[in-house]
Amino acid sequence: SVSTSSRPPHHHPPSRPLPTMTTPSTYVPKCILITGAAGFIGSFTAALLAREHPEYRIIVLDKLDYCSSRANLDAAEKHSNKNFKFIHGNILSRDLVSYILEEEEVDTIMNFAASTHVDNSFSSSIVFTENNVLGTHILLECSRVYGKVRRFLHVSTDEVYGGESLADQPESATMEPTNPYACTKAAAELICKAYIRSFNIPIIISRGNNVYGPHQFPDKLIPKTVCLINANSPAFIHGDGSHTRNFLFVEDAATAFSTILHAGTIGEVYNIGSPIEKSNIDVVRDIIRLCDRAADEATLIEYVRDRSFNDQRYLVDAKKLHDLGWAPKFSWEDGLKECIAWYSDPKNLARWPRYSNGLVAHPSLVE
């Protein structure tokens, strides 16, 4: 069955101005199907589009997996001028996807739906293939049969490049994924490229650095660390903590997706990059410091075994996206402070009844 709703949100106004998009729009959608938008990045992107373009119809399709929440969509509903609809369902259902495209007269798809946690992919790789590869393929095939999609934005990851290069990776770099998650995202990209060439489906692909911020399920490094420190428990460091990642605050990520949607070129790939590169140990130390627990650092860090394979770093060249007028605005410290405040509020964590399951060294989908 398909459930739809547009209930009144319980949303408190933020204490700071919300970011706005100033990039001139060249593409104007009418009805956007956003898959996976009850999750992390998709929920912020839906909220931004609803706020900046209340005339757009926004349809969210989400199966409400463990890491998602209906509450993540409150802001999108608030700003959508009643042009918002939520559908509880799975992109793996070809009949459902086809029905939504026809019934809602969708002309634009933004595919955020994915299994994303690398740790989980080591123990549940088949699930990742089903959601990330088959799910994307079903969306593409339904779009081909429907024939009225004017723009399809597929959300991929910087991890498709592999993590051993010392140079910034341009979009033309060879994909060399090293873990099951990254391999499924690379496979989905290849299917996208086949649908561009074989069927002229108007696809744009994005590859983003690590994103952090509110609404992220606390099995990822930053929210997990905040939750553990607040519980007076040690945060986990994989290996020696020297692996680095480039971090982008979620509201900057949302403006990047809006820029690509409106100003990107069909058939292109766009890196979404951040200049903020941090080692895992420095991330944890920064959070401890901002939580005013620097004096307890020795007892708040626990070194654990590393992943089966852990990429050293991900560096991408985002010049192509910068040329469209986008640039990140949030500093590392400001973003972390927002995270600490948000995850320190028990009401926010209550949207995930089982969030404590993620507060372990190596999360797994296997019970």
Side-chain angles (χ1 to χ4, degrees):
S1 63
V2 180
S3 61
T4 67
S5 66
S6 48
R7 61 182 174 82
H10 301 286
H11 181 78
H12 299 286
S15 58
R16 55 174 175 75
L18 291 163
T20 58
M21 277 304 307
T22 56
T23 304
S25 297
T26 55
Y27 172 73
V28 180
K30 294 180 179 178
C31 180
I32 309 174
L33 173 62
I34 310 180
T35 67
F40 172 38
I41 307 173
S43 66
F44 274 86
T45 303
L48 174 68
L49 291 172
R51 187 174 66 248
E52 294 291 317
H53 302 281
E55 72 279 11
Y56 293 175
R57 293 182 57 237
I58 295 176
I59 313 298
V60 169
L61 173 61
D62 199 296
K63 70 175 184 178
L64 295 179
D65 206 354
Y66 75 95
C67 54
S68 302
S69 172
R70 190 69 178 78
N72 287 346
L73 292 166
D74 283 353
E77 286 186 276
K78 175 184 177 181
H79 295 291
S80 67
N81 193 28
K82 298 183 179 180
N83 281 331
F84 177 92
K85 180 184 286 189
F86 172 76
I87 299 175
H88 185 192
N90 197 324
I91 62 171
L92 291 174
S93 172
R94 183 171 176 177
D95 288 344
L96 174 60
V97 172
S98 295
Y99 172 81
I100 293 170
L101 295 179
E102 290 283 357
E103 183 71 13
E104 303 295 342
E105 298 182 340
V106 171
D107 66 354
T108 305
I109 296 175
M110 301 179 77
N111 181 29
F112 288 91
S115 296
T116 62
H117 200 301
V118 173
D119 275 330
N120 288 339
S121 78
F122 288 118
S123 60
S124 305
S125 59
I126 300 299
V127 173
F128 277 65
T129 299
E130 290 172 346
N131 292 335
N132 299 353
V133 184
L134 181 57
T136 300
H137 197 166
I138 288 172
L139 287 172
L140 291 167
E141 180 61 12
C142 290
S143 298
R144 181 190 70 80
V145 174
Y146 171 59
K148 301 174 187 176
V149 170
R150 297 189 294 130
R151 187 154 295 202
F152 187 121
L153 175 52
H154 176 69
V155 179
S156 191
T157 172
D158 59 358
E159 296 199 31
V160 299
Y161 294 120
E164 304 307 310
S165 175
L166 298 179
D168 290 359
Q169 296 294 297
E171 290 86 351
S172 59
T174 302
M175 292 193 291
E176 298 282 357
T178 60
N179 60 66
Y181 159 63
C183 288
T184 63
K185 297 300 284 187
E189 283 200 36
L190 292 176
I191 298 173
C192 285
K193 291 182 178 182
Y195 270 73
I196 294 172
R197 294 173 181 139
S198 297
F199 305 117
N200 293 317
I201 304 299
I203 301 168
I204 305 174
I205 296 171
S206 69
R207 297 173 182 159
N209 280 152
N210 276 37
V211 179
Y212 71 104
H215 297 186
Q216 186 174 39
F217 188 76
D219 58 353
K220 299 290 181 75
L221 176 62
I222 290 175
K224 180 194 298 186
T225 297
V226 174
C227 291
L228 288 170
I229 291 172
N230 283 340
N232 205 34
S233 298
F236 302 112
I237 295 293
H238 291 174
D240 63 4
S242 64
H243 306 91
T244 68
R245 298 292 184 264
N246 289 65
F247 290 93
L248 183 69
F249 191 64
V250 64
E251 292 186 12
D252 284 329
T255 59
F257 286 114
S258 181
T259 300
I260 294 169
L261 172 67
H262 293 105
T265 299
I266 296 299
E268 292 290 337
V269 179
Y270 292 91
N271 287 334
I272 304 176
S274 166
I276 301 168
E277 183 177 16
K278 292 280 184 177
S279 67
N280 289 346
I281 185 62
D282 284 340
V283 170
V284 171
R285 285 172 174 160
D286 286 347
I287 294 172
I288 291 173
R289 173 177 55 83
L290 291 173
C291 288
D292 296 323
R293 299 294 302 276
D296 305 317
E297 182 180 297
T299 62
L300 290 176
I301 294 177
E302 179 181 344
Y303 291 89
V304 298
R305 66 174 173 83
D306 208 347
R307 291 172 170 171
S308 299
F309 187 87
N310 201 341
D311 289 327
Q312 184 60 40
R313 65 197 311 211
Y314 299 116
L315 298 174
V316 300
D317 180 353
K319 181 180 183 303
K320 189 190 293 187
L321 181 55
H322 292 319
D323 288 346
L324 296 182
W326 175 84
K329 297 179 180 179
F330 278 80
S331 71
W332 169 244
E333 192 142 318
D334 286 345
L336 276 189
K337 287 177 180 177
E338 293 227 6
C339 283
I340 292 168
W342 197 86
Y343 287 95
S344 296
D345 186 342
K347 294 192 296 295
N348 291 329
L349 294 172
R351 69 190 59 204
W352 302 295
R354 303 173 64 190
Y355 82 89
S356 61
N357 290 355
L359 304 181
V360 295
H362 295 280
S364 171
L365 296 178
V366 179
E367 294 290 342

